[in-house]
Amino acid sequence: MSSAKFSVSTVSVFTDFKEITKMGLSLSVVFSSLAGYLLGAETINLITLLLLSIGGYFMVGASNAYNQIIERDLDALMDRTKNRPIPAGRMSVNTAFIIATTFTILGLITLYVINPKTAMWGAISIFLYTSVYTPLKTKTALSVFVGALPGAIPFMLGWVAARNTFGIEPGTLFAIQFFWQFPHFWSIGWFLHEDYKRGGFFMLPTGKPDKGTAVQIIMYSIWTTLVSILPVFGFTGDLKLSIVGAIIVLLLGFVMIFCAFRLFQERSIKAAKQLMLSSVFYITMLQIIYVADKFLS
């Protein structure tokens, strides 16, 4: 085999690995976990940070691989997913299963080294995502609610990794990311509605991109913003937020709420995409602001 062919083959394998584990999504989840750790840590342990990064990636990558195994026939029906490794025929189900299972075992071991509670929440996350959320996506729009449970664990998981306890602080981090997921995923479900229909997925609360869905998106955007500034009032134990930090978070929330109202007015794919982007910006900046606020205040 020539070096050129070997190089192309290596790139192809790495690309498929990225897709089967959804590397971009997995890294964003790891980012959330690290933010939660920094918020909870009284002294920063670099080894724990490394273990949390590796274990977190393993667990999210495993969930995504299992998801693509289960949905392989449906993925083949949708434009956004038909070129994934399994439906495109570049990866066998057995190979994907080996990757997913190996990642699950390695992820649990890595998180267990941090502490057993972190491993437990990681296991709960992968079980809910794979065994409950994934099958429900073709049955009911309530699947988004179920999916928001494992989706909200990473931010909280970091705090548990740092403190080895579960209380009001990680509960608040969980609540923030839980409520945030509704405007985020409903905006995606809005602009990909026709594609999701081809796969038989129910992603919008009313079943279609209409005023009813838009109203619920507005409500959850407002609720997400309100929950996000709770730490400024001193109700959340060691999780604190300064007045300046709360004002910045509130302004970020207003941007997301504004985009939600615009979606209500226009009910367009463009407005839905703008809301999705604003929601990603919101959760990313919120986590950065929370961490910066802790160390700068």
Side-chain angles (χ1 to χ4, degrees):
M1 179 183 294
S2 69
S3 60
K5 288 183 179 179
F6 178 77
S7 177
V8 171
S9 177
T10 303
V11 170
S12 177
V13 169
F14 180 67
T15 300
D16 287 343
F17 173 80
K18 283 170 54 180
E19 291 185 14
I20 200 71
T21 61
K22 291 187 181 176
M23 182 173 284
L25 173 61
S26 297
L27 290 176
S28 70
V29 172
V30 169
F31 179 84
S32 293
S33 297
L34 295 181
Y37 174 82
L38 292 174
L39 288 171
E42 294 168 318
T43 57
I44 297 172
N45 186 310
L46 294 179
I47 293 177
T48 302
L49 270 176
L50 180 62
L51 290 173
L52 184 61
S53 301
I54 295 171
Y57 188 92
F58 278 149
M59 296 302 287
V60 182
S63 297
N64 290 326
Y66 281 130
N67 173 267
Q68 290 181 54
I69 291 170
I70 296 168
E71 295 180 351
R72 61 189 183 277
D73 293 333
L74 301 179
D75 280 349
L77 302 175
M78 297 184 290
D79 291 337
R80 71 181 188 90
T81 54
K82 64 185 180 184
N83 288 318
R84 284 177 174 173
I86 300 176
R90 298 191 307 273
M91 182 181 292
S92 68
V93 171
N94 286 341
T95 299
F97 184 77
I98 290 170
I99 292 172
T101 304
T102 302
F103 270 36
T104 301
I105 295 169
L106 292 177
L108 287 174
I109 292 172
T110 305
L111 295 180
Y112 189 86
V113 171
I114 298 174
N115 61 59
K117 287 187 179 69
T118 304
M120 178 193 73
W121 284 110
I124 290 172
S125 175
I126 196 171
F127 171 78
L128 287 174
Y129 188 88
T130 303
S131 302
V132 185
Y133 166 65
T134 297
L136 282 178
K137 285 165 68 178
T138 56
K139 302 291 190 296
T140 173
L142 288 175
S143 62
V144 175
F145 174 86
V146 176
L149 296 171
I153 287 176
F155 200 15
M156 173 199 80
L157 190 73
W159 186 288
V160 176
R163 297 286 184 98
N164 195 23
T165 58
F166 182 86
I168 186 65
E169 301 93 347
T172 302
L173 298 180
F174 177 92
I176 292 168
Q177 199 147 358
F178 176 80
F179 289 112
W180 166 82
Q181 288 177 90
F182 292 93
H184 176 68
F185 284 109
W186 283 338
S187 63
I188 295 173
W190 188 297
F191 67 77
L192 290 176
H193 179 65
E194 293 303 318
D195 211 23
Y196 276 126
K197 276 178 62 177
R198 282 190 283 273
F201 293 114
F202 298 92
M203 302 303 291
L204 297 177
T206 65
K208 52 188 176 181
D210 59 8
K211 277 191 174 182
T213 290
V215 168
Q216 293 198 48
I217 289 174
I218 291 170
M219 291 172 59
Y220 276 94
S221 297
I222 294 172
W223 188 240
T224 299
T225 303
L226 292 176
V227 173
S228 297
I229 60 172
L230 274 181
V232 78
F233 298 107
F235 302 144
T236 53
D238 290 338
L239 179 64
K240 303 181 186 302
L241 188 64
S242 69
I243 293 176
V244 173
I247 290 172
I248 297 172
V249 169
L250 195 60
L251 291 174
L252 288 171
F254 286 156
V255 173
M256 187 168 64
I257 293 166
F258 172 79
C259 289
F261 270 103
R262 185 156 59 186
L263 178 62
F264 174 80
Q265 292 176 326
E266 297 181 6
R267 295 194 295 282
S268 66
I269 289 177
K270 179 182 177 182
K273 288 182 177 179
Q274 289 173 338
L275 173 60
M276 184 273 290
L277 291 173
S278 73
S279 69
V280 172
F281 182 73
Y282 177 85
I283 198 66
T284 304
M285 291 306 300
L286 176 141
Q287 290 165 353
I288 292 172
I289 290 163
Y290 264 49
V291 173
D293 192 71
K294 173 187 174 180
F295 289 101
L296 296 178
S297 295

